[in-house]
Amino acid sequence: MLTALGDTYFAKGEFKSGEQALLSALHCPNMFGNPIIHLRLGQCQFELGDIHTAKKQFQQVLQQGGKVLFEKEKNQYFDLLQEPTNP
C-alpha cells in the first residue's frame, strides 16, 4: 500500500510525500532491497535535489533488479550511476 502511495505521489510530482511513503515502505517486512521501491525512492530524492542519496538508491536497484528497471525511466536516473561519486 505504501509503495503504491509513493508511486502515485511521484507521478503527481509530489516528491517529498513520495519520499516519505517509500521510506516507510522500506520498514515493512521483507521490503528492504525491493528494487521497485528503491527506484521510486531514488527518483523522488533526485527530484528533491538529494543527488548523493538518490545515487545510493539507484545502485541498490542495479544490484537487485538490474539495468532493465531503468529502461522505461528518464535517462537522467541511470546516467547518475555513470558519474563519479564525490566523497
Side-chain angles (χ1 to χ4, degrees):
M1 190 71 117
L2 290 167
T3 303
L5 185 60
D7 190 51
T8 300
Y9 280 132
F10 174 77
K12 292 175 62 178
E14 296 180 23
F15 305 119
K16 190 63 180 170
S17 295
E19 179 187 41
Q20 291 171 347
L22 294 161
L23 284 170
S24 294
L26 288 178
H27 292 289
C28 294
N30 302 315
M31 289 294 105
F32 187 83
N34 179 309
I36 301 301
I37 296 173
H38 288 284
L39 176 63
R40 283 292 181 256
L41 178 56
Q43 289 171 314
C44 287
Q45 292 167 332
F46 181 95
E47 298 300 338
L48 290 167
D50 189 355
I51 303 303
H52 181 72
T53 306
K55 187 172 185 175
K56 287 182 180 181
Q57 297 299 332
F58 295 152
Q59 289 169 335
Q60 182 79 14
V61 173
L62 199 56
Q63 291 172 0
Q64 299 296 326
K67 185 178 177 182
V68 68
L69 293 176
F70 289 94
E71 290 178 356
K72 293 184 180 179
E73 306 300 329
K74 293 179 183 178
N75 291 338
Q76 64 189 0
Y77 303 124
F78 185 76
D79 290 348
L80 181 62
L81 291 170
Q82 309 310 309
E83 296 177 12
T85 302
N86 293 330

